Amino acid sequence: MSLIDEIQCWDGKSAHDIALIYEEHITSHDFIDELIEYCRVPESQKGSTWLIKRFCENNGKLTNNQTLRILSLLPEYKHWETKLHVLQIMTYFSIPASTKVEVEYFLRSCLEQNQKFVRAWSYNGFYMLARQYPEYQEEVKQFFEMALHDESASVKARIRNILKNGF
């Protein structure tokens, strides 16, 4: 079965099953490039972004071109888990200057999500953006201050972990 078929047959829940897909296809020379293309298909975004996240977590390095392609698709990511995966992989690459406005817009829209994990990782994304682009630092510090008063405990915990790293 092809990679896209396996992703689309995945139930969207079983971490074991998606991990098996990863193990089966990781040695393919165009694995990441294929996954990025599959991110264009709404039915395969969640699985594709999970697999990209696993690649990054296993010390895989995205090329600058791959990073640009992932970020170019930000407006197309619809499912909250897809957004979460993309937010989580932002810690593994630099945000190119040519995409910082799109990234900022994506992060702001994610702060409005109902899912706490998406909001928590949005704050992390803003931290990454502010570390690379100092013009965002003051606003991000204000976001953190407001969130430490208004957000849920799990989001506050994520922000406190970010702040331990310093600004």
Side-chain angles (χ1 to χ4, degrees):
M1 191 180 297
S2 72
L3 177 58
I4 186 74
D5 291 336
E6 288 186 49
I7 291 169
Q8 290 182 342
C9 288
W10 174 54
D11 68 3
K13 297 177 183 163
S14 172
H16 174 75
D17 290 350
I18 194 78
L20 289 176
I21 295 170
Y22 177 85
E23 293 302 325
E24 182 179 341
H25 294 277
I26 184 58
T27 57
S28 170
H29 76 283
D30 56 351
F31 179 62
I32 295 300
D33 291 322
E34 282 186 67
L35 291 174
I36 294 169
E37 281 306 305
Y38 301 155
C39 285
R40 296 181 184 283
V41 180
E43 299 80 28
S44 64
Q45 286 180 353
K46 183 174 157 184
S48 296
T49 55
W50 190 98
L51 292 165
I52 294 168
K53 181 172 83 81
R54 172 60 65 95
F55 172 80
C56 292
E57 291 169 343
N58 288 338
N59 297 317
K61 302 292 182 218
L62 298 172
T63 67
N64 290 339
N65 184 37
Q66 290 168 335
T67 299
L68 284 168
R69 289 172 49 218
I70 290 167
L71 295 175
S72 74
L73 295 170
L74 290 176
E76 296 181 38
Y77 300 131
K78 302 301 179 203
H79 192 274
W80 73 267
E81 287 176 277
T82 300
K83 292 176 183 182
L84 176 62
H85 299 152
V86 171
L87 291 164
Q88 290 171 326
I89 65 171
M90 284 184 175
T91 61
Y92 296 101
F93 57 75
S94 296
I95 299 167
S98 63
T99 65
K100 70 181 181 180
V101 172
E102 290 83 1
V103 170
E104 176 189 1
Y105 181 78
F106 177 72
L107 294 172
R108 287 182 190 281
S109 70
C110 288
L111 284 179
E112 298 172 4
Q113 296 287 304
N114 290 330
Q115 291 76 18
K116 292 181 276 193
F117 292 124
V118 173
R119 290 197 316 274
W121 280 94
S122 296
Y123 288 109
N124 191 79
F126 269 114
Y127 171 71
M128 301 303 297
L129 188 65
R131 280 187 52 206
Q132 292 176 55
Y133 302 101
E135 65 266 28
Y136 290 99
Q137 286 183 359
E138 287 308 311
E139 183 178 18
V140 171
K141 287 178 185 178
Q142 290 174 1
F143 281 167
F144 288 178
E145 288 174 20
M146 290 186 305
L148 288 171
H149 293 295
D150 301 333
E151 277 286 4
S152 67
S154 59
V155 174
K156 289 177 184 178
R158 181 80 199 136
I159 292 171
R160 282 191 292 275
N161 283 337
I162 293 167
L163 292 173
K164 286 180 187 175
N165 295 325
F167 231 122

